[in-house]
Amino acid sequence: MKSTVLLITVMLLATGSLFSQKGVDTLLVLPPVAVNETVLKPYEEGRDWIKLGVSSLETVQASNLGQLLSSTNGVFIKNYGPSGISSSSLRGGSASHTAILWNGVNVQSPMLGQSDFSLLPVALTDEVLISFGGPSTAGIQGAVGGAIQMKNSFNEKNPILKINNSAGNFGDYQNSIRLQFGKRKFTSITRFYHRLSENNFPYLNLQNNLKKLEHARLTQWGIAQDSRFRLSQKSEIDIHLWQQNSQRQLPHNRLQIRSVAEHDD
């Protein structure tokens, strides 16, 4: 009888140990991790991008992006004067086949599908990147022929205050100011640009008389504000703002007596 009770007790203890083993779980539940990234970075440097830095922008002395790119190989610029539009052609494509990016944002006109380069002042940017298509422009909408990007950088070695003034023929005056302050936790860069061009060059009318072009004034001004907040060594927040105004008088052709047309952007 004692042996039977001992056997039943041992079986009950063994069964309890088996049930306790079923409660043990070796699966470790890890917290979720979210990874957000594109397969190909559309504006990644070093992948068929030609970089025009600050030194190139100052050497060319261009007022807008169209004048700057006209001195670059492989880019054809159609320029119709200070009061006209300026468009590009890359790899034989039209102006709508070239994507224009400002700090990664496509600034092409949603109605025309292209951009007027005469409205993009060089003084409001630090770098200009050019790509002639291929894998480097993958993921960029409208970049069939290529892409052009304007970037604003935060370089602590840049001068705190920079003022540029220039004057040209036919009443062309340009002024730009760049103010930078802050180093570690906060950096602010303010840019201002102004241009006035009378565009009153002489020409011969149909009667072979020498006259000056009238009603062809161009007035432009723009301001850009770039701010960077450093939250930690691995995280930061960048804010880019851009406001611009352009007023162009459209001159008459050789068959018209006068013109009162204007175009505002």
Side-chain angles (χ1 to χ4, degrees), residues 81-145:
S83 59
I85 64 174
S86 178
S87 59
S88 67
S89 176
L90 298 180
R91 298 198 310 165
S94 63
S96 59
H97 294 158
T98 303
I100 309 299
L101 306 177
W102 175 69
N103 294 310
V105 179
N106 199 322
V107 295
Q108 287 178 287
S109 173
M111 299 182 64
L112 299 177
Q114 62 186 39
S115 298
D116 186 1
F117 285 10
S118 63
L119 300 176
L120 305 177
V122 177
L124 300 184
T125 187
D126 294 322
E127 298 176 357
V128 176
L129 304 176
I130 308 173
S131 175
F132 297 97
S136 57
T137 58
I140 303 179
Q141 184 177 4
V144 179

Side-chain angles (χ1 to χ4, degrees), residues 77-240:
I77 299 296
K78 292 173 285 186
N79 189 1
Y80 295 93
S83 59
I85 64 174
S86 178
S87 59
S88 67
S89 176
L90 298 180
R91 298 198 310 165
S94 63
S96 59
H97 294 158
T98 303
I100 309 299
L101 306 177
W102 175 69
N103 294 310
V105 179
N106 199 322
V107 295
Q108 287 178 287
S109 173
M111 299 182 64
L112 299 177
Q114 62 186 39
S115 298
D116 186 1
F117 285 10
S118 63
L119 300 176
L120 305 177
V122 177
L124 300 184
T125 187
D126 294 322
E127 298 176 357
V128 176
L129 304 176
I130 308 173
S131 175
F132 297 97
S136 57
T137 58
I140 303 179
Q141 184 177 4
V144 179
I148 300 172
Q149 181 178 188
M150 303 171 64
K151 293 182 62 176
N152 294 347
S153 60
F154 295 88
N155 190 354
E156 298 180 356
K157 297 182 181 180
N158 289 336
I160 297 177
L161 179 62
K162 184 177 181 180
I163 301 176
N164 291 329
N165 298 309
S166 63
N169 296 332
F170 313 118
D172 191 2
Y173 303 96
Q174 303 179 40
N175 307 280
S176 64
I177 300 176
R178 185 183 188 276
L179 177 62
Q180 174 177 338
F181 64 91
K183 289 186 178 181
R184 298 182 180 178
K185 295 294 184 180
F186 174 73
T187 303
S188 175
I189 303 177
T190 304
R191 300 175 175 88
F192 178 77
Y193 169 81
H194 179 264
R195 181 185 183 186
L196 174 63
S197 178
E198 295 293 342
N199 197 27
N200 53 356
F201 58 88
Y203 72 99
L204 293 175
N205 59 10
L206 296 178
Q207 290 75 29
N208 203 23
N209 296 326
L210 185 63
K211 287 190 174 183
K212 286 189 176 182
L213 187 65
E214 299 178 353
H215 196 75
R217 176 182 295 181
L218 168 67
T219 304
Q220 285 183 343
W221 65 267
I223 184 171
Q225 176 63 42
D226 304 312
S227 302
R228 168 169 289 181
F229 300 88
R230 293 180 177 85
L231 305 180
S232 63
Q233 294 182 353
K234 297 183 179 180
S235 61
E236 58 190 19
I237 299 177
D238 292 349
I239 300 177
H240 303 280

Side-chain angles (χ1 to χ4, degrees), residues 119 219 244-250 261-265:
L119 300 176
T219 304
Q244 183 168 317
N245 190 319
S246 176
Q247 298 177 349
R248 289 182 284 193
Q249 296 179 346
L250 305 181
E262 295 183 358
H263 183 78
D264 297 339
D265 293 291

